[in-house]
Amino acid sequence: MPRKLLLPYKSVFSHFRAPRGLHDALAMNAARNGTRFYKTCPVMSTQNITEVPRGRLGAELGKSVVYQETNGETRVEIKESVRGQDIFIIQTIPRDVNTAVMELLIMAYALKTSCARNIIGVIPYFPYSKQSKMRKRGSIVCKLLASMLAKAGLTHIITMDLHQKEIQGFFSFPVDNLRASPFLLQYIQEEIPDYRNAVIVAKSPDAAKRAQSYAERLRLGLAVIHGEAQCTEQDMDDGRHSPPMVKNATVHPGLELPLMMAKEKPPITVVGDVGGRIAIIVDDIIDDVESFVAAAEILKERGAYKIFVMATHGLLSADAPRLIEESSIDEVVVTNTVPHEVQKLQCPKIKTVDISLILSEAIRRIHNGESMAYLFRNITVDD
């Protein structure tokens, strides 16, 4: 059956370009399967997306339009038949997350109502993944988004480094959660001089498993920052004592619950030796950088002479570039799952690792009906 690759509005192709492996694979099938790319409207990027399929794949762009009306509503129109075809929607999430989500939902639904056979979403950074647990009297928004995507018509998702692996259970269709760790490990080995004198650091006990996985693969030491400086949302008062407890309240005679002792964090401690070494802090998302900056200051005080921060998704919100530039951090290394060229112009310490190779290989394998096992070789749960 014919397959098409659809690129939605504001997908930044310069950040998510498919390498030659995907071009060759899809070009081989272009004549047989009628493979074509879609664009929705002109994309503001350094590379003209309309020329890529024509020049490197030998395939013309499909015809579709996405635009916002004067009242702010998003409209999608598919300008040719997609009946019985497999469609790939590649969506990188820009700064305006909610608009990008709505465009993705409306486009998927437009393809569904146009009788597309399968609609596969390629979403390198899955939005709202931090809201995957119940907080206070809030909601699990990530579960809501998963349900909305299924209702809109998506039948499969390819993503990378979900904030919690359990998020895959929110979906009623297959999810391929790829890993960026092989690319970040390769960067450490090739771009950090004397990396053998480094130590992998978890900036909180929550990140210890990921840091341990990196340390074991690189045969390096491990350090964990623990103490009162680590203030997490789990420790906040969640309001479940309201209405306020009444003194001398009558208690059921048979109900005597054990009293829970209040938490008291110990003084700030670095578990592990970082003196005279390169400290490499690893995490999955770097958004608000205050905690990373504070961790870097602590490591500097403990004798680390160079500090790197490595993460898969570089959201780098608000004043992150300025704070990084003014901090003790020597380099921040992130992948291109999220566009961040503006932040790189503001802070030369930010470096990018290209992970489009594994995403394009995943697309190729799904396109050809091949197994995805090769992409997960030697991958553990903690990666």
Side-chain angles (χ1 to χ4, degrees):
M1 299 295 291
R3 299 168 185 260
K4 295 185 180 180
L5 199 61
L6 190 66
L7 294 166
Y9 180 59
K10 292 184 181 176
S11 293
V12 183
F13 199 87
S14 61
H15 293 274
F16 183 75
R17 57 188 184 278
R20 188 170 299 278
L22 176 63
H23 296 157
D24 295 342
L26 290 182
M28 287 188 297
N29 293 298
R32 185 178 74 241
N33 292 338
T35 303
R36 284 173 294 185
F37 282 82
Y38 274 89
K39 78 178 183 70
T40 55
C41 69
V43 179
M44 298 302 293
S45 70
T46 57
Q47 182 176 4
N48 188 351
I49 192 172
T50 63
E51 299 300 325
V52 175
R54 184 179 298 109
R56 304 182 71 175
L57 290 176
E60 293 296 326
L61 285 167
K63 298 179 177 64
S64 60
V65 177
V66 174
Y67 61 94
Q68 288 191 337
E69 297 184 350
T70 54
N71 61 1
E73 293 181 357
T74 300
R75 184 178 293 273
V76 175
E77 296 177 6
I78 308 299
K79 295 294 188 179
E80 62 183 354
S81 175
V82 295
R83 183 179 297 273
Q85 299 180 1
D86 292 340
I87 307 295
F88 289 86
I89 305 176
I90 302 178
Q91 175 68 301
T92 55
I93 303 299
R95 298 294 119 188
D96 191 352
V97 177
N98 294 328
T99 300
V101 168
M102 282 305 300
E103 289 168 352
L104 177 61
L105 290 169
I106 296 171
M107 180 170 287
Y109 189 67
L111 293 165
K112 176 184 177 181
T113 54
S114 298
C115 299
R117 186 177 68 170
N118 290 313
I119 304 170
I120 300 97
V122 184
I123 312 171
Y125 168 66
F126 193 79
Y128 288 98
S129 59
K130 282 188 173 183
Q131 299 188 49
S132 58
K133 293 182 179 179
M134 182 64 74
R135 295 282 187 263
K136 304 181 182 179
R137 290 188 177 88
S139 60
I140 305 176
V141 182
C142 193
K143 175 66 170 72
L144 172 63
L145 181 56
S147 301
M148 291 167 65
L149 290 172
K151 190 69 175 177
L154 286 179
T155 58
H156 194 152
I157 278 183
I158 303 171
T159 187
M160 177 160 284
D161 280 340
L162 290 170
H163 188 56
Q164 299 289 340
K165 307 300 187 295
E166 295 80 2
I167 291 174
Q168 289 178 267
F170 292 166
F171 295 87
S172 57
F173 51 78
V175 176
D176 287 311
N177 182 27
L178 304 176
R179 306 294 197 275
S181 53
F183 297 90
L184 296 175
L185 290 168
Q186 183 181 30
Y187 184 93
I188 292 173
Q189 293 173 314
E190 296 180 355
E191 302 296 333
I192 299 181
D194 196 23
Y195 82 92
R196 289 293 182 187
N197 189 37
V199 59
I200 305 298
V201 180
K203 70 179 180 67
S204 69
D206 293 338
K209 286 186 176 181
R210 181 184 298 271
Q212 181 182 359
S213 176
Y214 275 68
E216 290 175 351
R217 293 183 185 280
L218 293 169
R219 314 297 193 265
L220 299 177
L222 175 67
V224 180
I225 299 176
H226 177 57
E228 59 185 3
Q230 301 301 321
C231 180
T232 61
E233 193 173 358
Q234 292 94 320
D235 300 324
M236 298 179 184
D237 183 10
D238 64 2
R240 290 176 188 164
H241 290 299
S242 58
M245 296 179 65
V246 180
K247 292 183 179 181
N248 302 322
T250 304
V251 180
H252 191 279
L255 183 64
E256 293 186 6
L257 298 177
L259 180 63
M260 178 63 75
M261 295 182 63
K263 284 186 179 181
E264 183 176 345
K265 291 195 174 185
I268 193 70
T269 306
V270 178
V271 182
D273 182 21
V274 298
R277 296 193 177 188
I278 301 171
I280 304 175
I281 305 172
V282 297
D283 213 332
D284 62 329
I285 298 174
I286 176 168
D287 188 3
D288 297 324
V289 299
E290 284 85 355
S291 60
F292 291 93
V293 171
E297 295 295 335
I298 294 165
L299 293 171
K300 207 75 171 179
E301 292 174 4
R302 298 299 193 277
Y305 71 90
K306 213 165 192 181
I307 299 167
F308 290 80
V309 175
M310 311 199 77
T312 302
H313 309 295
L315 305 185
L316 302 170
S317 302
D319 293 331
R322 179 182 61 80
L323 294 174
I324 292 170
E325 186 66 26
E326 297 172 356
S327 71
S328 302
I329 299 172
D330 293 281
E331 196 168 284
V332 173
V333 182
V334 295
T335 71
N336 55 345
T337 56
V338 178
H340 54 267
E341 281 197 353
V342 174
Q343 287 83 351
K344 287 181 69 176
L345 293 174
Q346 296 172 347
C347 177
K349 291 183 179 180
I350 301 172
K351 308 296 180 183
T352 306
V353 175
D354 182 22
I355 46 80
S356 60
L357 176 64
I358 191 171
L359 287 168
S360 61
E361 178 63 14
I363 294 171
R364 187 193 69 80
R365 286 174 176 270
I366 292 175
H367 176 76
N368 293 328
E370 299 177 16
S371 170
M372 299 284 283
Y374 178 76
L375 303 182
F376 293 95
R377 68 195 189 284
N378 300 325
I379 294 294
T380 65
V381 176
D382 297 329
D383 286 326

